[in-house]
Amino acid sequence: MEQKDIEAFVAALGKKLAASTVCDRMKMVTSLFQTAIKEKRRADDPTQDIKLPRSATHAVDEDEIPTLYEVDLMAKQISPQYRLTVYLQAGAGLRISETLAFTTDCVRADFLRVRRQVSSKAHRDDCKTRFKPLKHRAEGEYRDVPLPAFLAEEIDMHLREWGTVTTGMEVLFTPRDRGKRTMPTATTYAYHFRKALKAAGIVKPDGSPKYTPHGLRHFFASTALAHGIPIHEVSRWLGHKSIKTTVDAYGHLVPASWGRCWTVMQTALHPGSPTA
């Protein structure tokens, strides 16, 4: 097999598979040729200079993550009935669709049981199913997320001031103005979020909002990882389909791992060294 055969193989894979999958497959192919060389079954590796497709990066840019000061400022500037949405996203990592579907039965003693997300059509009068199963989950499946004390207090404060609306469940977020009783959606909520950021001055040079609601979820993940929470736990709490999604998005935000690895390897290989 020659290099041109490998190039044709890669091109054929690229027509059917994602770039990341092609790269994974080629790692196995390269390994086979390296073994063949080691066992003197062939003299060269035809995969050596093959150009592989670039995988699209999903790494979160640090500029997409608000600071704690900005998070608190958003909560202060957003419409009062939506203050809690900011902290459910930043303090528990909920998606905005999960946040807007938040009901009283989600609250447990020291954790939140996230059960559902709001439909993108929930604001329409003709919508028959306002709630849907969680992303990547089947009907009835849920995930549990730690409930910090400050967030429990925010939930209690919201319930005292705004109460709930019964729609078969005790829902925390529904529009209170002009007699509207339909559920808000990620799209209708975006208006309030953008308005809050502009009021707070959290904008780009062109005057557009600096963040999207998803930035608050980034805040949760990056804060947890920066303080040593294992990435597999963060992945589970975020409700990602696989840990690979979490690693691709946030793995670069754990710089402390370099230092820990240095210390571990130094101690393991040179335990008597004064620098260990």
Side-chain angles (χ1 to χ4, degrees):
M1 183 173 285
E2 305 297 330
Q3 186 174 22
K4 63 180 182 180
D5 298 315
I6 300 296
E7 290 174 344
F9 176 66
V10 170
L13 288 179
K15 293 179 180 179
K16 297 181 179 180
L17 303 174
S20 59
T21 305
V22 173
C23 292
D24 287 341
R25 298 284 174 85
M26 285 305 298
K27 287 179 183 177
M28 293 187 288
V29 174
T30 298
S31 178
L32 289 173
F33 280 107
Q34 289 294 328
T35 300
I37 293 172
K38 185 176 181 181
E39 295 179 353
K40 298 182 179 180
R41 294 176 182 272
R42 66 176 293 144
D44 66 317
D45 177 5
T47 68
Q48 187 172 3
D49 297 317
I50 295 295
K51 292 184 179 180
L52 298 177
R54 285 189 175 185
S55 300
T57 178
H58 298 288
V60 171
D61 190 324
E62 287 89 338
D63 290 341
E64 298 175 40
I65 306 172
T67 64
L68 175 59
Y69 173 77
E70 289 173 323
V71 170
D72 287 335
L73 199 54
M74 291 179 207
K76 182 178 180 181
Q77 292 294 336
I78 202 165
S79 300
Q81 69 266 34
Y82 286 130
R83 171 187 167 90
L84 177 59
T85 64
V86 173
Y87 290 120
L88 283 172
Q89 294 174 86
L94 272 62
R95 299 179 175 91
I96 184 55
S97 58
E98 297 167 346
T99 299
L100 297 174
F102 198 81
T103 54
T104 53
D105 67 334
C106 294
V107 184
R108 302 303 171 94
D110 56 357
F111 65 91
L112 299 178
R113 177 153 289 175
V114 188
R115 293 181 173 277
R116 58 191 74 86
Q117 62 180 345
V118 71
S119 166
S120 61
K121 300 177 181 179
H123 64 291
R124 291 168 40 173
D125 292 332
D126 61 348
C127 179
K128 296 180 180 179
T129 305
R130 302 196 188 280
F131 298 109
K132 303 192 304 180
L134 295 176
K135 188 176 182 180
H136 307 311
R137 299 293 184 272
E139 183 72 42
E141 292 186 335
Y142 59 84
R143 73 177 189 274
D144 293 337
V145 183
L147 174 60
F150 92 90
L151 186 52
E153 293 173 1
E154 287 286 344
I155 292 172
D156 288 342
M157 184 168 64
H158 179 95
L159 289 171
R160 287 195 301 271
E161 184 162 356
W162 298 98
T164 61
V165 174
T166 303
T167 59
M169 290 172 284
E170 296 299 316
V171 181
L172 272 67
F173 302 111
T174 56
R176 264 69 178 184
D177 58 331
R178 296 187 296 277
K180 294 180 180 178
R181 309 303 286 177
T182 56
M183 289 292 299
T185 67
T187 301
T188 61
Y189 172 85
Y191 163 79
H192 297 277
F193 190 82
R194 290 193 298 267
K195 183 179 178 181
L197 264 63
K198 290 182 178 181
I202 307 175
V203 295
K204 298 176 182 178
D206 64 1
S208 62
K210 188 176 179 181
Y211 307 109
T212 66
H214 208 71
L216 295 170
R217 191 165 143 89
H218 293 332
F219 176 88
F220 169 83
S222 61
T223 301
L225 292 170
H227 288 79
I229 303 298
I231 198 165
H232 70 276
E233 295 281 11
V234 176
S235 181
R236 180 159 55 89
W237 296 336
L238 288 171
H240 282 163
K241 186 175 183 180
S242 73
I243 192 171
K244 183 180 184 302
T245 302
T246 318
V247 172
D248 287 348
Y250 303 110
H252 64 296
L253 299 179
V254 196
S257 61
W258 290 87
R260 289 200 300 272
C261 182
W262 188 94
T263 301
V264 167
M265 299 312 297
Q266 180 70 17
T267 301
L269 296 174
H270 290 277
S273 172
T275 57

